[in-house]
Amino acid sequence: MKTAKLLAATALVAASGVLAPQAQADELTLCWAAWDPANALVELSKEFEAQSGHTMKFEFVPWPNFADRMLNELNSGGKLCDLLIGDSQWIGGGAENGHYVKLNDFFDKEGISMDDFAPATVYAYSTWPKGTPNYYALPAMGDANGWFYRKDWFEKPEIQEAFKSEHGRDLAPPKTQMELLEIAQFFQEREIDGQKRYGAAIFTERGSEGITMGATSSMYPFGFKYEMTPGKYDMEGAVNSPEAVAGLEFYKELYKTATPPGYTDSYMEQSLDAFKSGQVAMAMNWFAFFPGLYADPDTGGDKIGFFVNPGQAKEASTLGGQGISVVAYSDKQEAALEYIKWFAQPSVQSKWWDLGGYSCHVSVLNDPSFADSAPFASDFLLAMDGVMDFWQEPAYAELLLAMQKRLHDYVVADQGTAQEALDKLIEDWTETFEDEGKL
């Protein structure tokens, strides 16, 4: 039904000539990761093709290979991508290395205001240096790490009775990290409907970014931060604070006591599989997957519920999501900028949400009906109010690999203590920032 409405709207808008077809039609290639929102963008972009006369091609790369493939493309000055929806952490390198076109003059000319987008997404996806009015991307896909759970299991009377007997409170989606652990441990190896189940599917993958994205979902609420003073790279007492250590110790306990067996290298796909196959009561993953999860015929609908990442000392969620940039090496920058202008329109942003994308536009997010427009919409708003992100420095890849190693060695490989892991991480990062001339 939504597709039919979209096509009808496309024909109407094309006929009205809102975007007059250009004298020269170009073929634009948009690069992104291969996942459900990318498929929604293909559908949405049909409207741009009809209005502009340009043709859209898409290069979607599986998540495990996305960063390597796209960063290699940028670093080599490649011309594959005219438009790139790149991860938030790439913005520093994209700006400083000249990979992305600076958009300030274009935004001013076309009347595109960053005030029309959620402040957290502008800060994370668009600006470099951070927090300055220097824009290298338009917020495209809001996202954060959230949670989903087997609502039908939670509602079973025998399960509710057993949980209340053990914990003295009603079984409900957790409000704190400690409640999350209690619930996950309660479900660990519990028999439900004749099968052994497990507590939670979390991120433990080492090769790309998985365990960092997962562990920080606990570490941020406990109080982990990257610097004592933003922009000063003073990591001692922030990265390895008692609160950061407690958050990392918590994540290891969650992993050791409440996850499926053999769950040593898991990320997005493994989390989805564990939930859909009925292995786990709860799972973490990006909000981007929630529309598909809710639509799943076996474990979606009234069988699934959603909740925002629980707080502890503070409310915080690990940021996902991306901005859309014009690649500086493209020979079709004018046409690519036309796409940015089209995508920034409130009406297009509304359709983006309807199709399964996560708009960052305030006209969508502040609409009174938004919170009730999907069973996870209100949690998405809560998450985006408290998002925290990894370093966005040009040396982001090296910084990330160091954290991946230190966290995986401690959490999964059982090497050393949390304090030692974070102390060594500061040593790693200090060396990188010294090499970069930041320290």
Side-chain angles (χ1 to χ4, degrees):
M1 182 64 70
K2 289 181 180 176
T3 300
K5 289 180 180 177
L6 177 60
L7 293 175
T10 297
L12 177 63
V13 177
S16 70
V18 173
L19 282 179
Q22 301 301 298
Q24 176 181 337
D26 287 313
E27 183 178 80
L28 292 172
T29 299
L30 187 153
C31 299
W32 198 9
W35 60 338
D36 290 350
N39 299 328
L41 189 62
V42 172
E43 184 66 32
L44 182 67
S45 297
K46 292 175 182 178
E47 177 178 308
F48 173 76
E49 292 180 310
Q51 292 182 31
S52 68
H54 300 308
T55 301
M56 295 298 298
K57 286 182 60 180
F58 299 91
E59 184 73 19
F60 297 148
V61 181
W63 271 112
N65 312 110
F66 179 54
D68 283 348
R69 173 78 183 282
M70 289 298 118
L71 293 177
N72 286 338
E73 178 71 19
L74 293 175
N75 289 331
S76 66
K79 295 181 178 291
L80 170 66
C81 310
D82 303 299
L83 293 152
L84 173 60
I85 301 183
D87 257 345
S88 57
Q89 299 97 332
W90 304 357
I91 195 75
E96 291 196 10
N97 297 324
H99 300 323
Y100 294 165
V101 173
K102 189 175 181 181
L103 298 173
N104 287 58
D105 290 344
F106 170 72
F107 286 166
D108 290 343
K109 175 186 174 185
E110 299 296 342
I112 298 172
S113 173
M114 288 295 95
D115 292 339
D116 291 336
F117 294 83
T121 67
V122 174
Y123 179 88
Y125 304 153
S126 302
T127 64
W128 189 263
K130 297 317 301 172
T132 66
N134 296 286
Y135 307 118
Y136 292 86
L138 183 87
M141 174 72 188
D143 205 0
N145 197 18
W147 290 84
F148 41 102
Y149 69 101
R150 285 297 299 264
K151 185 178 178 183
D152 55 336
W153 296 356
F154 274 52
E155 292 175 346
K156 286 179 176 287
E158 65 273 22
I159 294 291
Q160 291 180 337
E161 183 179 348
F163 184 85
K164 191 162 189 175
S165 177
E166 286 186 29
H167 295 285
R169 59 184 175 85
D170 292 334
L171 176 60
K175 299 297 185 184
T176 67
Q177 292 284 311
M178 295 308 298
E179 288 184 3
L180 174 71
L181 179 63
E182 287 178 352
I183 295 172
Q185 290 175 337
F186 169 80
F187 278 102
Q188 185 73 357
E189 297 188 346
R190 182 171 292 274
E191 185 173 303
I192 300 175
D193 297 333
Q195 295 185 43
K196 183 186 289 186
R197 318 290 184 170
Y198 299 93
I202 62 175
F203 298 158
T204 60
E205 179 259 7
R206 177 170 174 171
S208 62
E209 64 174 15
I211 196 165
T212 297
M213 299 298 105
T216 52
S217 293
S218 293
M219 295 167 70
Y220 292 150
F222 272 82
F224 171 89
K225 54 186 180 180
Y226 294 92
E227 306 163 283
M228 297 297 290
T229 311
K232 297 297 185 182
Y233 306 97
D234 48 352
M235 298 171 284
E236 187 69 39
V239 171
N240 61 351
S241 68
E243 294 81 8
V245 170
L248 183 53
E249 290 174 340
F250 172 90
Y251 196 73
K252 180 172 182 174
E253 184 176 1
L254 180 62
Y255 166 70
K256 291 290 187 182
T257 65
T259 59
Y263 211 68
T264 60
D265 193 37
S266 60
Y267 195 22
M268 294 180 262
E269 183 179 352
Q270 290 76 24
S271 165
L272 297 172
D273 288 346
F275 187 83
K276 291 180 180 181
S277 64
Q279 291 184 62
V280 295
M282 300 181 293
M284 65 164 50
N285 221 313
W286 303 106
F287 273 85
F289 292 108
F290 289 10
L293 285 162
Y294 184 66
D296 187 271
D298 297 319
T299 55
D302 58 5
K303 294 181 180 179
I304 194 172
F306 305 90
F307 59 93
V308 70
N309 189 55
Q312 192 60 34
K314 61 184 288 189
E315 302 295 328
S317 295
T318 297
L319 180 74
Q322 302 89 24
I324 182 168
S325 299
V326 176
V327 178
Y329 314 114
S330 168
D331 295 324
K332 305 167 186 174
Q333 291 184 21
E334 288 302 315
L337 289 168
E338 285 182 54
Y339 187 91
I340 298 281
K341 178 183 177 180
W342 165 80
F343 187 73
Q345 297 175 90
S347 60
V348 174
Q349 289 290 305
S350 179
K351 293 167 190 169
W352 178 221
W353 168 249
D354 288 342
L355 287 170
Y358 280 77
S359 174
C360 304
H361 203 284
V362 294
S363 68
V364 177
L365 301 179
N366 292 344
D367 188 298
S369 65
F370 180 83
D372 296 323
S373 64
F376 39 80
S378 60
D379 287 321
F380 175 66
L381 293 177
L382 289 173
M384 296 306 291
D385 276 343
V387 287
M388 297 179 65
D389 199 13
F390 188 75
W391 295 108
Q392 296 188 351
E393 298 285 329
Y396 130 85
E398 185 175 337
L399 298 166
L400 180 59
L401 287 174
M403 192 165 189
Q404 284 285 107
K405 171 179 168 52
R406 298 304 180 191
L407 296 187
H408 198 275
D409 283 354
Y410 168 67
V411 173
V412 178
D414 217 13
Q415 297 176 13
T417 67
Q419 185 73 61
E420 290 167 346
L422 296 177
D423 288 344
K424 290 176 181 176
L425 184 58
I426 291 179
E427 294 176 10
D428 298 335
W429 285 351
T430 298
E431 182 177 346
T432 298
F433 287 130
E434 287 176 348
D435 292 343
E436 292 284 301
K438 302 291 178 72
L439 286 175

